[in-house]
Amino acid sequence: MTFQTSLKSALFGLSALTLAATGALADQLADIKAAGKIVAATEMHYAPFDMLENGEYVGFDRDLFDEIAKELGVTPEYQDLPWTSILPGLEVKKFDFVLAPVTMTAERAERYAFTLPISDATVAFVQRKGGPLSTPEDAKGKTVGTQKGTAQEIQLQAFSDKIGGITIKGYGTPDEAYADLMTGRLDAVAGSAPLLNYLAKTRPADFAVVNPPFGKPTYFAFVARKGEGDTLIAAINEAIKKIEDDGRMKALQEKWFGAATELPQEMPQL
């Protein structure tokens, strides 16, 4: 065999491997459509995005993804998992998609494929009605709770460093932090503004949001596996755009958040 023939054979083999890899990466959407279902995971303790009411899964994410699944022509199946197991579970293919609202960060974008934004995620404080904070800076020297392992926890730590010190307590779920806030073990809880606004709206005698938010403007999105999930993300983004354009997104925002918010229709700079 001549060197030229060997080179041609090697190049042909490389091309075949490249095409095979490309095909494999494009298979997830086709596989989901062939199965007729998409399995999505979230933590159902993140009101108003994901909640259990009398054992039934409800919330903004459920309503929105039901509409997305209709556009894809598949049936959604939902799994309730602890937040700390959701992104690792996606990576090892325990389910197809992450329905939990994931804060969009540059670090996460290196590992996961984000959809277009589905909600604002800017971080703020909530306190008991009549609590000690008039501005976010008043949190200096106070004890503040937040959910462990979240982008909100990272932003709270950065804000603590900026203003000179906050005692931070981590919790498994926001509900656990709110319970300690009500008993006086915390001065405030840090979380994304939509969650805190919903909490104050539904329990106005107990909670009040501290304005303005202290975090940098950020967004929530859904997540798929990077590479393999690219075709799925593209299809879901088209569905999100359609849902925004025909008014369904606005209706869902008003239903769950009390007001509609305009969202980017292109990927934001992270």
Side-chain angles (χ1 to χ4, degrees):
M1 181 181 290
T2 67
F3 173 77
Q4 187 175 19
T5 302
S6 298
L7 180 61
K8 286 181 178 178
S9 298
L11 290 173
F12 177 79
L14 181 61
S15 298
L17 286 172
T18 301
L19 288 171
T22 303
L25 292 178
D27 279 348
Q28 189 182 20
L29 178 62
D31 289 346
I32 286 169
K33 289 197 170 187
K37 67 178 183 179
I38 181 168
V39 181
T42 189
E43 180 184 53
M44 298 178 187
H45 304 278
Y46 208 63
F49 291 91
D50 304 280
M51 300 175 285
L52 286 173
E53 290 186 355
N54 300 317
E56 181 184 358
Y57 173 38
V58 299
F60 175 81
D61 287 343
R62 169 69 189 269
D63 284 357
L64 176 57
F65 203 73
D66 279 353
E67 296 300 319
I68 290 171
K70 288 178 188 176
E71 297 297 329
L72 296 181
V74 297
T75 300
E77 291 186 5
Y78 299 112
Q79 294 185 2
D80 181 17
L81 298 172
W83 162 248
T84 52
S85 70
I86 288 177
L87 292 177
L90 177 71
E91 293 189 51
V92 298
K93 302 186 179 183
K94 288 190 174 181
F95 40 83
D96 300 314
F97 193 72
V98 171
L99 181 65
V102 180
T103 305
M104 303 177 80
T105 67
E107 294 77 15
R108 285 174 174 163
E110 293 178 358
R111 296 184 64 178
Y112 308 105
F114 281 112
T115 66
L116 289 170
I118 56 99
S119 171
D120 174 58
T122 305
V123 187
F125 289 125
V126 68
Q127 63 182 344
R128 295 182 303 281
K129 192 80 170 180
L133 278 60
S134 297
T135 69
E137 288 72 20
D138 294 335
K140 179 179 178 179
K142 301 294 193 297
T143 302
V144 177
T146 193
Q147 187 175 18
K148 292 184 290 188
T150 61
Q152 289 70 38
E153 182 181 36
I154 294 171
Q155 288 200 48
L156 176 60
Q157 184 61 63
F159 186 66
S160 171
D161 296 341
K162 176 182 175 182
I163 67 173
I166 296 171
T167 299
I168 298 172
K169 292 185 66 176
Y171 291 84
T173 70
D175 288 345
E176 292 169 359
Y178 302 150
D180 268 8
L181 178 60
M182 282 304 299
T183 60
R185 295 188 181 95
L186 299 173
D187 297 300
V189 170
S192 293
L195 279 75
L196 305 186
N197 289 332
Y198 177 83
L199 178 68
K201 174 188 170 185
T202 53
R203 297 177 62 181
D206 295 328
F207 298 107
V209 175
V210 181
N211 285 309
F214 68 84
K216 65 180 182 179
T218 52
Y219 296 98
F220 282 133
F222 299 143
V223 168
R225 287 184 288 275
K226 200 172 182 71
E228 179 186 357
D230 289 351
T231 53
L232 176 60
I233 288 289
I236 288 175
N237 282 346
E238 287 304 310
I240 289 173
K241 289 178 180 178
K242 183 175 181 181
I243 291 165
E244 288 178 341
D245 290 343
D246 65 20
R248 280 178 285 173
M249 180 70 83
K250 179 176 182 290
L252 292 179
Q253 289 177 330
E254 290 175 343
K255 173 183 176 180
W256 291 106
F257 305 143
T261 303
E262 190 169 339
L263 298 171
Q265 290 216 346
E266 295 184 356
M267 295 300 290
Q269 186 70 38
L270 301 179

